[in-house]
Amino acid sequence: MNITVIGRGHVGSGLGQRWALAGHTVTELGHDGGDASDADVVVVAVPSDAISDALGGVTGCDGKVTIDATNPVDGRDEAYDSLAHQVKAVTGGPVAKSFNANFAVLYDQIDRQHERPSNLFAADDGARAVTERLSRDAGYDPVFVGGLEHARELENWLETMFAINQAGLGPFFQRYAKPGDL
C-alpha cells in the first residue's frame, strides 16, 4: 500500500517506520508540502492548529481515504464537530480518527508486548478496512468505536490518558478485549 504521511514528528515518523517495516511504501511530507496523488491512504499527523496549513500545502488529497491522527493539544476549530471532521472538510473523502490515543514514545516497544496493544478508532465506512489493516501492520489490535461521529470522544480521551500518565503510571499501552480473549 502507498501511504503518504503528512507530519514528520514522533507520530508521523514513528508510524511511517512501522508501516515501512511491514512492507508498505511510505512517503513523509513536512512543512514544505508535496504531492499525495500516488497514495492509497493519507495520514495526517500534525499539530491540531496546523491542519489547514498542512493539508493546504499538499496536492492530490482530494477524495482520498485519510486517517486523522491529530489531537487537540494546540486547540481546535470549533466550526467542526472534531479535528477529523476538519480534515474531512478539506480532503472530501472517507476519514478515520485513529492512532491519536496511543503514546508514540512506546512505538518501539509494541512488538515486545505479550498481547497486542489496542488502537481505538472511529471511521467512515470507506476508511474502516484500511484503518484496521494499518492498525494491525503497526502492531496494534484495532478496536472500532463506531462512525466518525465518535471522533471527538477519541480526541477528548487524551485528557484521561494524560491524567493517568501524570498520576504516576507514565506512558502506557491500552488493551481492550472481550471476556475470554486474554
Side-chain angles (χ1 to χ4, degrees):
M1 185 180 306
N2 289 330
I3 305 166
T4 296
V5 178
I6 303 170
R8 292 182 175 143
H10 296 295
V11 174
S13 290
L15 289 171
Q17 289 172 5
R18 294 198 60 82
W19 290 325
L21 289 172
H24 298 287
T25 301
V26 178
T27 301
E28 292 183 16
L29 303 178
H31 294 288
D32 48 340
D35 184 18
S37 296
D38 291 338
D40 298 308
V41 62
V42 174
V43 177
V44 181
V46 299
S48 58
D49 62 352
I51 291 171
S52 294
D53 288 341
L55 286 171
V58 178
T59 58
C61 289
D62 292 344
K64 297 268 185 193
V65 173
T66 305
I67 297 174
D68 169 34
T70 64
N71 272 312
V73 174
D74 297 313
R76 66 170 74 245
D77 184 337
E78 292 295 343
Y80 301 97
D81 291 340
S82 69
L83 299 171
H85 285 88
Q86 182 180 359
V87 168
K88 185 178 180 91
V90 176
T91 62
V95 172
K97 179 68 176 189
S98 187
F99 302 106
N100 69 303
N102 299 303
F103 287 94
V105 69
L106 298 178
Y107 288 161
D108 63 344
Q109 296 180 42
I110 293 172
D111 298 328
R112 295 192 300 246
Q113 304 311 301
H114 296 291
E115 298 287 337
R116 281 180 172 243
S118 295
N119 178 48
L120 302 173
F121 76 99
D124 288 327
D125 289 341
R128 182 173 176 178
V130 169
T131 305
E132 288 176 345
R133 177 175 178 192
L134 292 181
S135 293
R136 287 186 189 94
D137 290 349
Y140 291 101
D141 182 29
V143 177
F144 182 59
V145 302
L148 202 62
E149 68 272 13
H150 297 288
R152 190 164 184 133
E153 286 96 11
L154 287 178
E155 293 167 3
N156 291 340
W157 175 237
L158 186 69
E159 292 178 32
T160 302
M161 288 179 55
F162 282 177
I164 294 168
N165 177 19
Q166 293 168 358
L169 184 61
F172 58 90
F173 288 113
Q174 304 172 75
R175 177 77 178 127
Y176 297 90
K178 294 177 185 177
D181 283 356
L182 292 178

